[in-house]
Amino acid sequence: MASKKGGDPGRKIISDNRKVRFNYEIEDTLEAGIELKGTEVKSLRTGKANIAESYAAEYAGEIWIYNVYIPEYLQANRFNHEPRRPRKLLLHKREIGKLAGAVQKDGKTIVPLKLYFNEQGRAKLEIALARGKKLHDKRETEKRRDWQREKSRLMKNLG
């Protein structure tokens, strides 16, 4: 069953993407509806979904979310859905324009943060505009360390 978080009153969080907060600098957040079909809602109500490896992109004037894993609902195997199919996000045109513009102009990324049911029982996805963090390059550190070792060996042999 989906858990209720203390900081989110009325929300039943289904999936939280904590890895995104580590890999990206979150700038703007936005709540979007998600277009679900058939047994996807039943699967979500049981609290089974994963957005850890998902991403969003603009396609043909709409924002789509890819790679969200919503498992098949076992009691309805004949009418089941595809677990990782692309799903359309329900946003206003102004919001779509803002997101698409930020991706094209500023090089930002649209990342999903949380998948939850709101107070009215509708499935919502919290998305964010994010910028990738500068990761520390270990190669430079290793090169510097190896050079220091080599330099100390050379100095030791000379003197």
Side-chain angles (χ1 to χ4, degrees), residues 29-112:
T29 60
L30 190 66
E31 183 181 72
I34 185 167
E35 186 178 73
L36 300 171
K37 294 181 180 176
T39 57
E40 291 174 339
V41 177
K42 291 181 181 183
S43 257
L44 287 179
R45 293 236 185 258
T46 60
K48 298 175 183 173
N50 189 3
I51 61 169
E53 298 172 2
S54 60
Y55 62 96
E58 188 262 339
Y59 176 73
E62 297 174 335
I63 303 291
W64 290 79
I65 184 114
Y66 299 95
N67 216 17
V68 172
Y69 179 71
I70 301 176
E72 295 175 339
Y73 187 67
L74 295 177
Q75 288 81 359
N77 62 0
R78 221 178 105 213
F79 302 105
N80 262 329
H81 58 275
E82 194 176 322
R84 291 194 186 270
R85 75 172 182 85
R87 293 167 177 92
K88 186 168 79 167
L89 295 182
L90 306 173
L91 295 163
H92 294 287
K93 284 186 180 183
R94 188 176 74 235
E95 294 169 335
I96 293 171
K98 177 184 171 187
L99 291 171
V103 168
Q104 290 172 354
K105 291 177 189 170
D106 302 332
K108 295 182 183 175
T109 308
I110 305 169
V111 292

Side-chain angles (χ1 to χ4, degrees), residues 117-129:
F117 284 108
N118 67 0
E119 300 86 20
Q120 291 84 23
R122 294 187 182 107
K124 297 286 182 175
L125 185 70
E126 186 177 356
I127 58 175
L129 278 173

